[in-house]
mmCIF file of all heavy atoms in Angstrom:
data_model
loop_
_atom_site.group_PDB
_atom_site.id
_atom_site.type_symbol
_atom_site.label_atom_id
_atom_site.label_comp_id
_atom_site.label_asym_id
_atom_site.label_seq_id
_atom_site.Cartn_x
_atom_site.Cartn_y
_atom_site.Cartn_z
ATOM 1 N N GLY A 7 119.906 105.298 62.325
ATOM 2 C CA GLY A 7 119.302 105.443 63.647
ATOM 3 C C GLY A 7 119.881 106.583 64.452
ATOM 4 O O GLY A 7 119.948 107.728 64.019
ATOM 5 N N ASP A 8 120.317 106.268 65.656
ATOM 6 C CA ASP A 8 120.946 107.247 66.538
ATOM 7 C C ASP A 8 122.459 107.072 66.433
ATOM 8 O O ASP A 8 123.019 106.125 66.991
ATOM 9 C CB ASP A 8 120.479 107.030 67.978
ATOM 10 C CG ASP A 8 121.058 108.071 68.946
ATOM 11 O OD1 ASP A 8 121.941 108.847 68.523
ATOM 12 O OD2 ASP A 8 120.626 108.094 70.110
ATOM 13 N N PRO A 9 123.162 107.967 65.721
ATOM 14 C CA PRO A 9 124.606 107.781 65.516
ATOM 15 C C PRO A 9 125.434 108.002 66.772
ATOM 16 O O PRO A 9 126.636 107.778 66.756
ATOM 17 C CB PRO A 9 124.944 108.823 64.445
ATOM 18 C CG PRO A 9 123.880 109.863 64.576
ATOM 19 C CD PRO A 9 122.643 109.148 65.017
ATOM 20 N N GLY A 10 124.805 108.435 67.877
ATOM 21 C CA GLY A 10 125.513 108.557 69.142
ATOM 22 C C GLY A 10 125.434 107.312 69.986
ATOM 23 O O GLY A 10 126.009 107.249 71.072
ATOM 24 N N PHE A 11 124.734 106.276 69.500
ATOM 25 C CA PHE A 11 124.556 105.032 70.246
ATOM 26 C C PHE A 11 125.311 103.939 69.511
ATOM 27 O O PHE A 11 124.841 103.435 68.499
ATOM 28 C CB PHE A 11 123.063 104.705 70.354
ATOM 29 C CG PHE A 11 122.756 103.539 71.259
ATOM 30 C CD1 PHE A 11 122.804 103.684 72.632
ATOM 31 C CD2 PHE A 11 122.399 102.309 70.739
ATOM 32 C CE1 PHE A 11 122.510 102.625 73.470
ATOM 33 C CE2 PHE A 11 122.101 101.240 71.565
ATOM 34 C CZ PHE A 11 122.167 101.396 72.935
ATOM 35 N N PHE A 12 126.504 103.573 69.993
ATOM 36 C CA PHE A 12 127.374 102.624 69.311
ATOM 37 C C PHE A 12 127.636 103.061 67.867
ATOM 38 O O PHE A 12 127.742 102.224 66.975
ATOM 39 C CB PHE A 12 126.763 101.213 69.291
ATOM 40 C CG PHE A 12 126.812 100.499 70.602
ATOM 41 C CD1 PHE A 12 125.651 100.257 71.311
ATOM 42 C CD2 PHE A 12 127.999 100.039 71.118
ATOM 43 C CE1 PHE A 12 125.684 99.576 72.516
ATOM 44 C CE2 PHE A 12 128.044 99.353 72.324
ATOM 45 C CZ PHE A 12 126.886 99.123 73.026
ATOM 46 N N GLY A 13 127.710 104.357 67.613
ATOM 47 C CA GLY A 13 127.812 104.827 66.245
ATOM 48 C C GLY A 13 129.020 105.703 65.999
ATOM 49 O O GLY A 13 129.966 105.761 66.783
ATOM 50 N N ILE A 14 128.959 106.453 64.903
ATOM 51 C CA ILE A 14 130.123 107.167 64.395
ATOM 52 C C ILE A 14 130.394 108.466 65.140
ATOM 53 O O ILE A 14 131.459 109.075 64.973
ATOM 54 C CB ILE A 14 129.932 107.438 62.879
ATOM 55 C CG1 ILE A 14 131.289 107.739 62.228
ATOM 56 C CG2 ILE A 14 128.909 108.555 62.661
ATOM 57 C CD1 ILE A 14 131.227 107.784 60.721
ATOM 58 N N VAL A 15 129.480 108.928 65.988
ATOM 59 C CA VAL A 15 129.688 110.182 66.709
ATOM 60 C C VAL A 15 130.969 110.142 67.537
ATOM 61 O O VAL A 15 131.714 111.124 67.606
ATOM 62 C CB VAL A 15 128.463 110.513 67.594
ATOM 63 C CG1 VAL A 15 128.801 111.589 68.614
ATOM 64 C CG2 VAL A 15 127.307 110.975 66.720
ATOM 65 N N ARG A 16 131.250 109.007 68.153
ATOM 66 C CA ARG A 16 132.442 108.934 68.993
ATOM 67 C C ARG A 16 133.707 109.181 68.174
ATOM 68 O O ARG A 16 134.591 109.945 68.580
ATOM 69 C CB ARG A 16 132.515 107.582 69.678
ATOM 70 C CG ARG A 16 133.809 107.400 70.453
ATOM 71 C CD ARG A 16 133.863 106.081 71.185
ATOM 72 N NE ARG A 16 135.182 105.873 71.753
ATOM 73 C CZ ARG A 16 135.500 104.870 72.541
ATOM 74 N NH1 ARG A 16 134.588 104.003 72.868
ATOM 75 N NH2 ARG A 16 136.716 104.743 73.001
ATOM 76 N N ALA A 17 133.834 108.507 67.028
ATOM 77 C CA ALA A 17 135.033 108.667 66.214
ATOM 78 C C ALA A 17 135.177 110.104 65.725
ATOM 79 O O ALA A 17 136.280 110.664 65.696
ATOM 80 C CB ALA A 17 134.986 107.708 65.030
ATOM 81 N N LEU A 18 134.056 110.725 65.331
ATOM 82 C CA LEU A 18 134.112 112.106 64.867
ATOM 83 C C LEU A 18 134.483 113.057 66.003
ATOM 84 O O LEU A 18 135.263 113.997 65.813
ATOM 85 C CB LEU A 18 132.761 112.501 64.264
ATOM 86 C CG LEU A 18 132.385 111.805 62.950
ATOM 87 C CD1 LEU A 18 130.924 112.081 62.607
ATOM 88 C CD2 LEU A 18 133.301 112.241 61.817
ATOM 89 N N ALA A 19 133.924 112.828 67.197
ATOM 90 C CA ALA A 19 134.229 113.700 68.335
ATOM 91 C C ALA A 19 135.686 113.562 68.750
ATOM 92 O O ALA A 19 136.319 114.552 69.146
ATOM 93 C CB ALA A 19 133.302 113.372 69.502
ATOM 94 N N GLU A 20 136.227 112.347 68.679
ATOM 95 C CA GLU A 20 137.631 112.160 69.020
ATOM 96 C C GLU A 20 138.541 112.914 68.058
ATOM 97 O O GLU A 20 139.579 113.459 68.456
ATOM 98 C CB GLU A 20 137.981 110.667 69.000
ATOM 99 C CG GLU A 20 137.467 109.888 70.194
ATOM 100 C CD GLU A 20 137.864 108.430 70.136
ATOM 101 O OE1 GLU A 20 138.184 107.941 69.017
ATOM 102 O OE2 GLU A 20 137.850 107.768 71.186
ATOM 103 N N ARG A 21 138.164 112.946 66.786
ATOM 104 C CA ARG A 21 139.021 113.579 65.775
ATOM 105 C C ARG A 21 138.823 115.090 65.704
ATOM 106 O O ARG A 21 139.797 115.856 65.615
ATOM 107 C CB ARG A 21 138.737 112.942 64.406
ATOM 108 C CG ARG A 21 139.532 113.524 63.247
ATOM 109 C CD ARG A 21 141.017 113.189 63.355
ATOM 110 N NE ARG A 21 141.763 113.711 62.225
ATOM 111 C CZ ARG A 21 142.001 113.036 61.105
ATOM 112 N NH1 ARG A 21 141.575 111.784 60.989
ATOM 113 N NH2 ARG A 21 142.683 113.582 60.130
ATOM 114 N N PHE A 22 137.561 115.542 65.762
ATOM 115 C CA PHE A 22 137.276 116.944 65.490
ATOM 116 C C PHE A 22 136.766 117.714 66.710
ATOM 117 O O PHE A 22 136.655 118.935 66.651
ATOM 118 C CB PHE A 22 136.248 117.052 64.350
ATOM 119 C CG PHE A 22 136.694 116.387 63.087
ATOM 120 C CD1 PHE A 22 136.155 115.174 62.701
ATOM 121 C CD2 PHE A 22 137.670 116.962 62.286
ATOM 122 C CE1 PHE A 22 136.574 114.541 61.544
ATOM 123 C CE2 PHE A 22 138.095 116.346 61.117
ATOM 124 C CZ PHE A 22 137.549 115.126 60.747
ATOM 125 N N GLY A 23 136.446 117.011 67.803
ATOM 126 C CA GLY A 23 135.910 117.659 68.991
ATOM 127 C C GLY A 23 134.390 117.692 68.958
ATOM 128 O O GLY A 23 133.774 117.875 67.907
ATOM 129 N N ALA A 24 133.788 117.513 70.133
ATOM 130 C CA ALA A 24 132.326 117.473 70.213
ATOM 131 C C ALA A 24 131.692 118.787 69.791
ATOM 132 O O ALA A 24 130.577 118.811 69.247
ATOM 133 C CB ALA A 24 131.894 117.114 71.636
ATOM 134 N N SER A 25 132.387 119.913 70.013
ATOM 135 C CA SER A 25 131.809 121.215 69.669
ATOM 136 C C SER A 25 131.687 121.416 68.168
ATOM 137 O O SER A 25 130.968 122.315 67.715
ATOM 138 C CB SER A 25 132.661 122.336 70.279
ATOM 139 O OG SER A 25 133.986 122.297 69.757
ATOM 140 N N ALA A 26 132.365 120.584 67.384
ATOM 141 C CA ALA A 26 132.284 120.705 65.929
ATOM 142 C C ALA A 26 131.124 119.926 65.345
ATOM 143 O O ALA A 26 130.908 119.962 64.128
ATOM 144 C CB ALA A 26 133.591 120.234 65.293
ATOM 145 N N LEU A 27 130.383 119.204 66.187
ATOM 146 C CA LEU A 27 129.340 118.310 65.694
ATOM 147 C C LEU A 27 127.956 118.855 66.003
ATOM 148 O O LEU A 27 127.709 119.387 67.093
ATOM 149 C CB LEU A 27 129.477 116.928 66.329
ATOM 150 C CG LEU A 27 130.828 116.224 66.205
ATOM 151 C CD1 LEU A 27 130.748 114.841 66.853
ATOM 152 C CD2 LEU A 27 131.265 116.108 64.753
ATOM 153 N N ARG A 28 127.064 118.696 65.033
ATOM 154 C CA ARG A 28 125.633 118.887 65.262
ATOM 155 C C ARG A 28 124.974 117.555 64.918
ATOM 156 O O ARG A 28 125.001 117.121 63.771
ATOM 157 C CB ARG A 28 125.070 119.996 64.376
ATOM 158 C CG ARG A 28 123.565 120.188 64.571
ATOM 159 C CD ARG A 28 123.029 121.346 63.761
ATOM 160 N NE ARG A 28 123.192 121.157 62.328
ATOM 161 C CZ ARG A 28 122.448 121.784 61.410
ATOM 162 N NH1 ARG A 28 121.522 122.649 61.783
ATOM 163 N NH2 ARG A 28 122.665 121.574 60.130
ATOM 164 N N VAL A 29 124.401 116.904 65.924
ATOM 165 C CA VAL A 29 123.864 115.554 65.750
ATOM 166 C C VAL A 29 122.348 115.618 65.685
ATOM 167 O O VAL A 29 121.702 116.142 66.599
ATOM 168 C CB VAL A 29 124.314 114.627 66.897
ATOM 169 C CG1 VAL A 29 123.783 113.217 66.684
ATOM 170 C CG2 VAL A 29 125.840 114.606 67.000
ATOM 171 N N LEU A 30 121.788 115.071 64.612
ATOM 172 C CA LEU A 30 120.340 115.008 64.421
ATOM 173 C C LEU A 30 119.948 113.537 64.349
ATOM 174 O O LEU A 30 119.941 112.930 63.273
ATOM 175 C CB LEU A 30 119.936 115.735 63.126
ATOM 176 C CG LEU A 30 120.365 117.199 63.012
ATOM 177 C CD1 LEU A 30 119.996 117.754 61.634
ATOM 178 C CD2 LEU A 30 119.722 118.032 64.106
ATOM 179 N N PRO A 31 119.640 112.918 65.485
ATOM 180 C CA PRO A 31 119.392 111.468 65.485
ATOM 181 C C PRO A 31 118.019 111.118 64.943
ATOM 182 O O PRO A 31 117.085 111.920 64.970
ATOM 183 C CB PRO A 31 119.499 111.105 66.962
ATOM 184 C CG PRO A 31 119.053 112.350 67.677
ATOM 185 C CD PRO A 31 119.551 113.495 66.832
ATOM 186 N N SER A 32 117.927 109.896 64.478
ATOM 187 C CA SER A 32 116.639 109.287 64.174
ATOM 188 C C SER A 32 116.270 108.376 65.344
ATOM 189 O O SER A 32 116.957 108.356 66.366
ATOM 190 C CB SER A 32 116.729 108.504 62.864
ATOM 191 O OG SER A 32 115.464 107.970 62.522
ATOM 192 N N VAL A 33 115.192 107.624 65.203
ATOM 193 C CA VAL A 33 114.758 106.725 66.277
ATOM 194 C C VAL A 33 115.794 105.614 66.435
ATOM 195 O O VAL A 33 116.172 104.978 65.447
ATOM 196 C CB VAL A 33 113.388 106.110 65.948
ATOM 197 C CG1 VAL A 33 112.944 105.148 67.047
ATOM 198 C CG2 VAL A 33 112.354 107.203 65.741
ATOM 199 N N PRO A 34 116.304 105.350 67.639
ATOM 200 C CA PRO A 34 117.255 104.249 67.816
ATOM 201 C C PRO A 34 116.628 102.926 67.404
ATOM 202 O O PRO A 34 115.471 102.643 67.738
ATOM 203 C CB PRO A 34 117.558 104.266 69.318
ATOM 204 C CG PRO A 34 117.152 105.615 69.790
ATOM 205 C CD PRO A 34 116.026 106.049 68.907
ATOM 206 N N SER A 35 117.391 102.118 66.688
ATOM 207 C CA SER A 35 116.845 100.850 66.208
ATOM 208 C C SER A 35 116.473 99.932 67.368
ATOM 209 O O SER A 35 115.485 99.195 67.283
ATOM 210 C CB SER A 35 117.848 100.160 65.289
ATOM 211 O OG SER A 35 119.082 99.956 65.944
ATOM 212 N N VAL A 36 117.223 99.984 68.470
ATOM 213 C CA VAL A 36 116.901 99.147 69.627
ATOM 214 C C VAL A 36 115.558 99.568 70.221
ATOM 215 O O VAL A 36 114.696 98.731 70.515
ATOM 216 C CB VAL A 36 118.014 99.222 70.682
ATOM 217 C CG1 VAL A 36 117.580 98.529 71.971
ATOM 218 C CG2 VAL A 36 119.292 98.599 70.161
ATOM 219 N N GLY A 37 115.367 100.868 70.397
ATOM 220 C CA GLY A 37 114.103 101.354 70.927
ATOM 221 C C GLY A 37 112.936 100.984 70.035
ATOM 222 O O GLY A 37 111.858 100.610 70.511
ATOM 223 N N LEU A 38 113.140 101.078 68.714
ATOM 224 C CA LEU A 38 112.071 100.734 67.784
ATOM 225 C C LEU A 38 111.765 99.238 67.820
ATOM 226 O O LEU A 38 110.603 98.824 67.759
ATOM 227 C CB LEU A 38 112.460 101.168 66.372
ATOM 228 C CG LEU A 38 111.384 101.085 65.294
ATOM 229 C CD1 LEU A 38 110.121 101.825 65.713
ATOM 230 C CD2 LEU A 38 111.908 101.632 63.976
ATOM 231 N N ALA A 39 112.805 98.405 67.940
ATOM 232 C CA ALA A 39 112.578 96.959 68.008
ATOM 233 C C ALA A 39 111.771 96.588 69.242
ATOM 234 O O ALA A 39 110.834 95.779 69.175
ATOM 235 C CB ALA A 39 113.929 96.230 68.010
ATOM 236 N N PHE A 40 112.129 97.168 70.392
ATOM 237 C CA PHE A 40 111.352 96.886 71.599
ATOM 238 C C PHE A 40 109.930 97.434 71.490
ATOM 239 O O PHE A 40 108.980 96.826 72.007
ATOM 240 C CB PHE A 40 112.055 97.445 72.835
ATOM 241 C CG PHE A 40 113.104 96.540 73.400
ATOM 242 C CD1 PHE A 40 114.450 96.830 73.264
ATOM 243 C CD2 PHE A 40 112.748 95.374 74.069
ATOM 244 C CE1 PHE A 40 115.418 95.987 73.785
ATOM 245 C CE2 PHE A 40 113.704 94.519 74.593
ATOM 246 C CZ PHE A 40 115.049 94.825 74.442
#
């Protein structure tokens, strides 16, 4: 889904910095469920 929503983006940003990340999200599972 969206790895920035309760996902792994936080751990990666803490370790490597947000500028090192390129995030390509899919549809959030919560949004799709609703």
Side-chain angles (χ1 to χ4, degrees):
D8 183 351
F11 188 76
F12 286 111
I14 199 170
V15 165
R16 174 178 172 174
L18 292 169
E20 285 181 339
R21 179 68 178 269
F22 302 105
S25 61
L27 306 182
R28 178 176 62 157
V29 182
L30 303 175
S32 183
V33 179
S35 57
V36 171
L38 189 53
F40 276 107

